Amino acid sequence: MQGMANPRKAASAARTSSVGGRRRITTGGPRRIQSGQSDGPQRQRYLVTFPAGLAALVEECLRADLRLVSASHRDDSALLFSTSAPAESVAKLLYIKNAFQLVLEVPRTSLSGAAKAIAQRLRRSVPPGLERMSGFRIMAQIDGQLEPLDRHAKGTLERAVMSATGARVMSRGGGDELWLIGRRALGTIVLGRRLSRAAKPGPAGSLSPELSRLLVRMSKPQGGDVFLDPFAGSGALCRARAEWPARRVIGVDLYAEPRFDSPRAGAPIEFLREDALELPSVESGSASVVATDPPWGEFESFAGSAQEFYAAMAASFRRVLDPRTGRLVLLVSRKMEQLVADELIRAGFEGPRLVPVLVNGHPATVLNACPAEARDDGG
Ligand SMILES: C[S@@+](CC[C@H](N)C(=O)[O-])C[C@H]1O[C@@H](n2cnc3c(N)ncnc32)[C@H](O)[C@@H]1O
């Protein structure tokens, strides 16, 4: 619960004091954690990171999944926001790579300057976010890249945290992680307590679980959907879709062996070994969603030209999608975005929306479209 004092015994807590010019750790109780506002739902601030390019979609998902979200900073792969939802709810958001609960924020300066400024603030009062911590270590990052922190500044901050909470330093890990975080476009450096970390990546060439889940969210999942990934590869998109209720989830691949076991499976996943450019077993107009990551034409070559491949793909997807309610989400290499968009329009899709993203640092584009009739119907 926010605002609770650390329940650890006072005798085990450590405080720093200066004796004869030398800093010394003395025992004493951890100080009381400040509570937030007393009236109305308590709001906490969080910083989350996600696959680059999808900030607008992530903000939309946060508003749908948490209470009273208001964002104060947004860049291509991080959002700083406040909400009345508890930290456990933020930690459970599976499309987030890393989530941090904000403890303190100081004006932007060097990392060591920020560490010292935060230590000073901690000596005056202990903000929410440091409850129930028995061991911790301090790490630092700028724009998601791990940064070294000067030993002296780190020691100063460690002592201030020990004194405030009674927790001990566990520099090899195993306890909580407190991160000093800087972002290029953020005028402050924040101290955040890590709530969750990115899932382990799948096999080479597969989409990350977080990106897969965001692409599924872009497809606006509904319980009655027939979901199709015609280039399923390892099965990342089908596994992400199976976390939501669906009528059917179908993966197709001509060559790969997808892995369809999903720890959170709400729907079983079916597999078809056939050509995505034909989809002979899929009835016309029967799919609610096609969400897929076709070959990018960079590590593999097409039998004919790229244009022939994407033209056949667009016609195949147009045939199987429900003409009134169908949705298409397509991830392609940035170099191919215009060619693929042109072929989609030629096949009868309404003006695709293009969202630039980075996939493992590689420029790519998500195309989000629906059959032209769906728009004519106001669908
Ligand atoms: C970019 S990979 C998809 C990776 C997948 N998103 C994942 O997370 O593992 C493209 C996949 O399309 C498959 N493929 C290529 N041509 C195909 C075709 N004509 N029909 C069906 N599958 C095809 C390949 O075997 C490969 O697994």
Side-chain angles (χ1 to χ4, degrees), residues 203-208 212 229-237 239 252-256 274-277 292-296 300 309 331:
S206 64
L207 298 180
S208 72
S212 303
D229 177 357
F231 296 99
S234 66
L237 279 165
R239 284 196 300 280
V252 178
D253 204 289
L254 202 45
Y255 315 107
E274 61 187 40
D275 188 348
L277 307 186
T292 196
D293 165 27
W296 289 12
E300 65 284 271
F309 183 89
L331 177 68

Side-chain angles (χ1 to χ4, degrees), residues 276-297:
L277 307 186
E278 300 284 341
L279 296 171
S281 321
V282 185
E283 257 181 61
S284 298
S286 64
S288 325
V289 171
V290 168
T292 196
D293 165 27
W296 289 12

Side-chain angles (χ1 to χ4, degrees), residues 255-267:
Y255 315 107
E257 285 299 334
R259 222 200 69 224
F260 282 158
D261 56 306
S262 167
R264 296 183 183 81

